[in-house]
Amino acid sequence: MDCVQSFFEGELDRDDVRDLLAHHFAEMRADSPPEACHVLPIDGLRREAIRFFSLRDAAGTLLAVGALKRLEDKHGEVKSMRTHPDALGTGVGGTMLDHLTAVARSMGVEQLSLETGNSPLFDAANRLYQREGFVRCGPFGDYADTPFTHFYTKALS
């Protein structure tokens, strides 16, 4: 997008953020097998180890959300990254991922990982992660490997 965009930390109590996260949660639950669905509800995003961000245009319209979870001292995880349906295909997903990566670096994170699905619903996300230098890896943290799940990681140092 060619308009001015700004990031905001928090905003979990804003109606538009809650609506986008509810949409994200419902879609993930509908498309993912229960054993492979690790989407966090809003209250899960309030944990101390998680930093949540929203991206808005100059008019204040919500474009995307994303979160960064600290797993270990030098290892972080991308969580709940979602582009608003009205902003799909505009590049804001990449903008959010770049922001989360920059925040992770500023926190001293040296490895950034994520877990996602592999059904057609996740095709655009998988292309984005690969384009941004994330490589497939095995499960990390408490995740189990499933036929539905893709794991990615990227060295930040």
Side-chain angles (χ1 to χ4, degrees), residues 50-133:
I50 296 177
R51 294 180 68 183
F52 179 83
F53 298 92
S54 56
L55 174 61
R56 295 179 180 281
D57 67 13
T61 303
L62 181 64
L63 302 173
V65 296
L68 181 62
K69 178 181 180 182
R70 186 181 290 273
L71 298 174
E72 300 169 2
D73 190 39
K74 303 287 185 185
H75 191 192
E77 179 184 6
V78 173
K79 295 291 293 179
S80 300
M81 203 171 91
R82 184 65 181 226
T83 298
H84 192 282
D86 294 341
L88 289 173
T90 64
V92 298
T95 301
M96 177 57 76
L97 186 58
D98 289 347
H99 180 72
L100 295 174
T101 301
V103 170
R105 279 190 176 106
S106 76
M107 295 168 48
V109 169
E110 296 176 359
Q111 180 182 3
L112 191 57
S113 301
L114 61 93
E115 171 273 333
T116 193
N118 63 16
S119 73
L121 177 67
F122 297 90
D123 285 350
N126 281 290
R127 285 192 304 273
L128 171 64
Y129 301 137
Q130 292 168 8
R131 187 172 58 246
E132 293 298 320

